[in-house]
Amino acid sequence: MSNCKVIALSNQKGGVGKTTTAVNLGVGLAKQGNKVLLIDADAQVNLTMALGYAKPDDIPVTLSTIMQDIMDDKSVGVQGAILHHNEGVGLLPSNIELSGLEVRLINAISRESVLKTGINQVKKNYDYVLIDFMPSLGMLTINALAAADSVVIPKQPHYLSAKGLELLLRSVSKVRR
Ligand SMILES: Nc1ncnc2c1ncn2[C@@H]1O[C@H](COP(=O)(O)OP(=O)(O)OP(=O)(O)O)[C@@H](O)[C@H]1O
Ligand SMILES: [Mg+2]
């Protein structure tokens, strides 16, 4: 059995530090000698750009290509889509195509576990997989929660943020059930 830990960085509130945490925690874990994969599950592609890929639209195979292939029952090569960064982390990148995938996921069979199917293919090669979410509670977020062993929720100590946290924790317990 794989010892890999899949951690989701999640909060439907925007700008709370999900991407910043994904990059810094990921690179920190890699510097300690762990094999780390970062997954950009946000169509804003901040994580992909933060790692220096300035033209995500030119990347031929991204998370949305992989997830679409899984939905179409095609054979998928997740490992081949992973970019290797100088800081010692792997990156499964995204581009704007991911925003269209959210709608197509709605009618897919086992729509909650498409991302999990992809991650399961490469889990054995990593100690940690970190997934950077988009700020939403949509189908992609549900996919990331279903694929994760644990969730890190960066947040600001504000009243409305705390109310938002209740919604997120409700989604987490639904997915767990
Ligand atoms: N610990 C911190 N202290 C101060 N500023 C921070 C910290 N973490 C992140 N920031 C800043 O906050 C801003 C938003 O961070 P980030 O992009 O990581 O948030 P996010 O949750 O990924 O946003 P989004 O929901 O849009 O994806 C950035 O400008 C970042 O530099
Ligand atoms: Mg972000």
Side-chain angles (χ1 to χ4, degrees), residues 49-60:
M49 288 194 288
L51 288 174
Y53 299 94
K55 291 187 175 168
D57 290 344
D58 295 346
I59 302 173

Side-chain angles (χ1 to χ4, degrees), residues 15-20 40 42 44 46-47 132-135:
V16 291
K18 296 181 287 290
T19 306
T20 309
D40 191 349
D42 182 356
Q44 299 177 100
N46 291 163
L47 177 62
D132 181 28
F133 279 40
M134 60 178 68

